[in-house]
Amino acid sequence: MKRLSKNRPLRAKLLGIDVMSVLMQKLFAFLKRDFLEEASYKYSFIASFFGIFLSSATFFFISKLISPNSSSVLAPYGGDYFSFVIIGIAFSGLLAIFQERLPAIIRQAQVTGTLEAILVSRTSIPVILFGSSLYYFLYSIASTVFHLILAVVVFGMQVEKINWLGAVLTFLLTALCFLSIGILSACFILVYKKGNPFSWIYGSVSGLLGGVFFPIKVLPVWIKWISYILPITYSLEGLRKSIIVTSPFSEILPNIIALSVFTVVFFPLSIYLFRLALKKAKKDGTLTHY
Amino acid sequence: MNAIEVKNVTKVYPAIKGYKELLLHPFQRKGTTALRGIDLEVRPGQCFCLMGPNGAGKTTLIKILSTLVLPDEGKAFIKGHDLEKETDEVKKHIGFALAEERSFYWRLTGLQNLDFFAALNNIPLSKRRKKIQEVIDLVGLEKAAGRRFNTYSTGMRQMMAIARALLTDPDILFVDEPTRSLDPVAAQNIRTFLRKEMVENHGKTVFWATHDLSEAAEFAHTIAIIAEGQIKAEGSVRSLTGQGSFPLKEVYEKAVKEPAPESKAFGN
């Protein structure tokens, strides 16, 4: 009869190499799990990329209605509506992924019971949350890149010189900011199970007032202030300036600062609120309630 | 030191309010009492059976001891570590075989599932394959490990839940009605595995929730009968039955005040 070998307790070395290695292995485990699950639904995988093609084509033909350089509000973005809107829809997809996928993952784990199995393991809450979003984060990068390649190669979007520093910083801060909003949505799901108001209120308001489909300059003054409190406004502004019109870093910086402020406030707050939500669910005994 | 110590643990679940009640009394707290002042001590290396009817509080107590539910009152300790204050330390010593078979990823294979949970339990990549193979051999799922989880029988899923709980080589194993919905042969395999393999060969403490009388009588060192959230009787089978002078069924029925369920153990 085989005997179980005793695992030595993990000892964090001075440089924290063990801790980092274990952390990376955990994140990789989440990534692998989600990849294997998603890849097992082959047609959904292919369909999502086909959907990107269809939405790009739709906006390509809509943009034919707006002559280049005919609108003064599009002038700061190079004057081409297709380039403007493709950045909007490609990167707002990132918001949708964090805002909808993370709560959906938590909900699914809650309903099936995998959440309990994960929570009883020796993995901290931030790692569970970050790990659960990792695949979708990488997937969103892939779909955003696919969106842009399609726009450039198939639909002739003009990209001259990308400000990589501005684009990468804006993208990373955008991802962290949207992840925080996703975690806030997940808090609601953890406690109330369904009817997540973050998803539809924030999602709809961001779509309408965040500059996804049109520049916020066209909005009436009395409503424009809402745009300025939405992180997506700064994300899209920073990304358009980095990708379409290749602005100097100093012009992108205000957007990066605004996104940093949102991230510094929302990220720790969302983790804290998730801990509270988890505590409430443990207190109420509703971790696996449907 | 006791493996498990429970002191005056009480758990009240908040009741779900209707719309009318929510509007009229939004702050009024009503609840369903699942546990009332539970006191227990489990010695290391024991097979401890918590027996009681449905809704008696067995799963609540197991979930509290597995850190998944917080008690409202009282304290509980795992190998001397406070469940609420030293949760990380407690998790090092426990393994929980969830009764819920959906707690696995059905589109992944058994191996892939175990690999994921092993990573979450700090088992480094270099040792993971060996460890997984070890627990798979132990529960006898060598041939099925590479198959998708959704192709497993209920008994195999239960064994896989035990394998997952054993990944960290815990000192204490919690099993919640592991033989529920199993055929007599599969159920007997699990009982023998838990008592002979886990307790006798590996010296683990097994905390086993069941409502099967014969199962508890045959395999437990100590039995606690729980009903309405309270421990009604506790002791070895011999002490509970007055050295065998009356049947355990009688003790159970007297404690629970309802007829004992038909036993599934040994196919009866």
Side-chain angles (χ1 to χ4, degrees):
Chain A
M1 192 63 67
K2 290 198 172 203
R3 294 198 71 83
L4 290 171
S5 61
K6 198 83 185 166
N7 288 318
R8 282 186 178 181
L10 180 76
R11 281 174 301 174
K13 288 179 183 169
L14 274 179
L15 290 172
I17 292 167
D18 277 3
V19 174
M20 272 310 287
S21 153
V22 166
L23 176 68
M24 294 311 289
Q25 286 180 24
K26 284 184 181 184
L27 293 179
F28 182 73
F30 276 105
L31 195 62
K32 191 175 161 189
R33 175 201 69 178
D34 291 332
F35 174 76
L36 290 170
E37 282 240 304
E38 288 292 328
S40 73
Y41 298 99
K42 292 181 184 66
Y43 293 108
S44 127
F45 206 67
I46 294 163
S48 66
F49 280 88
F50 187 63
I52 291 174
F53 177 80
L54 287 183
S55 77
S56 299
T58 306
F59 282 102
F60 174 74
F61 291 114
I62 289 174
S63 72
K64 293 283 179 199
L65 301 172
I66 305 161
S67 311
N69 302 317
S70 64
S71 165
S72 61
V73 288
L74 284 175
Y77 310 103
D80 175 31
Y81 179 67
F82 182 66
S83 306
F84 176 89
V85 79
I86 215 73
I87 298 285
I89 56 172
F91 288 95
S92 64
L94 187 69
L95 173 64
I97 277 173
F98 280 127
Q99 199 177 276
E100 287 161 19
R101 282 308 305 170
L102 187 60
I105 292 166
I106 299 292
R107 178 78 188 127
Q108 193 187 359
Q110 205 173 25
V111 170
T112 59
T114 48
L115 185 64
E116 284 194 336
I118 291 173
L119 289 174
V120 91
S121 76
R122 288 153 67 183
T123 299
S124 67
I125 299 299
V127 175
I128 293 171
L129 289 171
F130 191 68
S132 300
S133 330
L134 195 57
Y135 171 79
Y136 297 98
F137 173 60
L138 295 179
Y139 173 81
S140 72
I141 292 178
S143 73
T144 303
V145 168
F146 180 69
H147 237 121
L148 296 178
I149 289 173
L150 205 64
V152 172
V153 176
V154 180
F155 299 106
M157 178 180 146
Q158 295 296 312
V159 176
E160 285 172 13
K161 196 180 169 198
I162 298 172
N163 183 331
W164 284 104
L165 179 65
V168 169
L169 275 178
T170 309
F171 184 79
L172 288 177
L173 286 167
T174 298
L176 269 179
C177 212
F178 289 178
L179 173 64
S180 315
I181 294 161
I183 295 172
L184 288 173
S185 297
C187 294
F188 195 90
I189 289 296
L190 201 59
V191 177
Y192 298 105
K193 324 299 172 207
K194 269 193 167 188
N196 175 11
F198 279 98
S199 187
W200 61 269
I201 294 178
Y202 191 81
S204 319
V205 171
S206 291
L208 180 68
L209 306 175
V212 177
F213 302 105
F214 47 82
I216 58 166
K217 272 187 186 168
V218 302
L219 291 168
V221 177
W222 61 269
I223 205 170
K224 210 183 280 181
W225 66 270
I226 298 177
S227 302
Y228 293 119
I229 56 168
L230 296 173
I232 195 169
T233 306
Y234 301 96
S235 303
L236 296 180
E237 188 73 8
L239 289 163
R240 284 183 179 122
K241 283 185 174 171
S242 306
I243 297 169
I244 313 176
V245 287
T246 326
S247 305
F249 188 73
S250 58
E251 275 187 35
I252 304 163
L253 190 62
N255 298 298
I256 291 176
I257 292 171
L259 285 170
S260 305
V261 171
F262 280 121
T263 305
V264 165
V265 173
F266 282 144
F267 193 64
L269 180 72
S270 64
I271 298 281
Y272 173 72
L273 288 179
F274 193 86
R275 282 187 201 279
L276 281 189
L278 189 63
K279 194 171 178 183
K280 179 166 170 51
K282 282 187 174 185
K283 199 84 186 161
D284 294 350
T286 57
L287 266 182
T288 53
H289 276 203
Y290 305 138
Chain B
M1 185 195 295
N2 284 317
I4 302 167
E5 214 171 323
V6 181
K7 290 180 179 171
N8 197 29
V9 162
T10 294
K11 180 71 207 167
V12 181
Y13 290 124
I16 297 164
K17 291 178 181 176
Y19 287 113
K20 189 180 166 189
E21 217 177 334
L22 201 64
L23 285 169
L24 295 175
H25 312 286
F27 301 109
Q28 194 181 63
R29 275 186 68 87
K30 270 188 185 175
T32 312
T33 305
L35 299 175
R36 302 164 201 264
I38 296 278
D39 287 302
L40 273 182
E41 283 181 5
V42 181
R43 289 194 308 277
Q46 261 204 340
C47 184
F48 184 96
C49 269
L50 185 66
M51 225 171 61
N54 290 334
K58 303 186 294 292
T59 301
T60 297
L61 185 56
I62 281 202
K63 287 196 174 178
I64 285 177
L65 294 172
S66 310
T67 73
L68 289 170
V69 169
L70 292 169
D72 291 310
E73 282 172 36
K75 288 267 175 203
F77 301 88
I78 297 288
K79 296 195 91 178
H81 299 290
D82 189 319
L83 268 178
E84 284 185 76
K85 290 180 184 159
E86 300 169 273
T87 311
D88 291 341
E89 201 56 42
V90 165
K91 284 181 180 177
K92 288 180 187 172
H93 299 286
I94 61 167
F96 180 19
L98 287 159
E100 182 52 73
E101 58 183 6
R102 292 285 316 190
S103 68
F104 283 92
Y105 299 97
W106 280 37
R107 296 181 76 88
L108 269 56
T109 66
L111 279 175
Q112 288 166 341
N113 267 290
L114 290 181
D115 186 62
F116 173 69
F117 287 105
L120 261 51
N121 278 301
N122 296 344
I123 299 173
L125 198 58
S126 53
K127 294 179 185 168
R128 212 179 294 160
R129 185 172 290 184
K130 189 175 166 240
K131 190 75 209 175
I132 290 170
Q133 198 53 54
E134 208 174 283
V135 293
I136 280 181
D137 288 349
L138 202 65
V139 297
L141 285 178
E142 303 91 330
K143 286 181 187 162
R147 274 171 34 201
R148 266 195 189 181
F149 191 78
N150 59 5
T151 64
Y152 287 13
S153 66
T154 311
M156 287 157 87
R157 287 173 192 159
Q158 197 55 257
M159 274 304 199
M160 194 51 91
I162 294 172
R164 175 174 61 190
L166 292 174
L167 279 170
T168 54
D169 196 11
D171 304 312
I172 302 161
L173 186 64
F174 292 104
V175 281
D176 189 5
E177 300 194 28
T179 57
R180 192 177 58 182
S181 346
L182 296 187
D183 63 71
V185 177
Q188 186 61 16
N189 286 343
I190 287 187
R191 289 184 200 110
T192 310
F193 175 81
L194 288 173
R195 173 66 197 244
K196 302 278 178 205
E197 194 65 30
M198 291 292 95
V199 178
E200 290 170 15
N201 292 349
H202 288 96
K204 295 194 184 300
T205 308
V206 173
F207 191 100
W208 183 341
T210 182
H211 58 249
D212 193 313
L213 229 61
S214 318
E215 185 169 277
E218 178 76 10
F219 293 96
H221 290 118
T222 306
I223 294 174
I225 301 172
I226 185 171
E228 295 165 338
Q230 286 176 307
I231 300 291
K232 303 284 186 181
E234 189 187 345
S236 65
V237 179
R238 285 187 65 77
S239 70
L240 285 173
T241 58
Q243 312 303 317
S245 49
F246 39 87
L248 186 62
K249 190 177 174 186
E250 203 178 301
V251 181
Y252 180 90
E253 287 177 347
K254 202 173 162 190
V256 172
K257 294 191 177 69
E258 63 178 72
E262 285 297 308
S263 175
K264 285 186 294 183
F266 324 114
N268 295 336

